[in-house]
């Protein structure tokens, strides 16, 4: 459950910087990466940094969601908010 809160708060933070048409919608099926994603790479990186920073403040642990494996494989497939929640849950245990 902690991961959901971290992601939602990070989305709110990022959305403050975006135009209405570019806003991230908290929906498990929302594509962060993939053919149907409307996010550019700058927004994606900022979202992941916001999540990393928020998690570090809450847990005191440093995580890195943007690993080399993610960057190599992430752009080859669909990656949704649901996938992000699963990845974050794995790292914050």
């Amino acid at each position: 459950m902690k991961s959901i809160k971290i992601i939602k708060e990070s989305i709110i933070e990022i959305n403050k910087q975006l135009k209405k048409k570019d806003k991230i919608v908290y929906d498990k099926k929302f594509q962060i990466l993939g053919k149907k994603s409307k996010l550019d790479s700058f927004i994606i990186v900022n979202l992941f940094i916001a999540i990393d920073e928020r998690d570090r403040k809450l847990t005191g642990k440093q995580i890195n969601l943007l690993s080399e494996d993610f960057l190599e494989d992430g752009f080859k497939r669909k990656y949704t908010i649901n996938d992000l929640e699963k990845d974050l849950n794995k790292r914050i245990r």
Side-chain angles (χ1 to χ4, degrees):
M1 287 303 239
K2 189 188 315 184
S3 65
I4 294 170
K5 182 179 179 182
I6 291 169
I7 293 169
K8 283 182 178 181
E9 290 176 356
S10 298
I11 288 173
I12 290 168
E13 178 184 331
I14 297 302
N15 279 344
K16 289 177 184 178
Q17 305 166 26
L18 302 175
K19 296 177 184 177
K20 187 175 183 175
K21 67 179 182 75
D22 296 328
K23 297 213 184 272
I24 301 168
V25 178
Y26 182 84
D27 177 339
K28 299 243 185 211
K29 295 180 183 177
F30 182 87
Q31 281 193 29
I32 298 169
L33 298 170
K35 291 181 181 181
K36 294 184 180 180
S37 175
K38 65 178 183 175
L39 304 179
D40 66 26
S41 58
F42 184 72
I43 295 170
I44 294 167
V45 169
N46 282 340
L47 174 62
F48 280 70
I49 290 171
I51 291 168
D52 287 348
E53 288 176 354
R54 190 168 304 281
D55 182 65
R56 187 180 73 244
K57 287 178 186 175
L58 292 173
T59 66
K61 297 177 184 177
Q62 180 71 35
I63 63 167
N64 183 7
L65 291 170
L66 291 174
S67 65
E68 282 186 43
D69 293 338
F70 175 83
L71 292 174
E72 288 176 12
D73 298 334
F75 290 99
K76 296 177 185 174
R77 63 182 177 97
K78 175 175 78 169
Y79 189 80
T80 64
I81 297 263
N82 190 51
D83 297 319
L84 178 58
E85 285 178 9
K86 288 177 186 176
D87 286 348
L88 187 56
N89 278 330
K90 289 178 196 173
R91 287 180 166 77
I92 62 175
R93 288 183 182 183

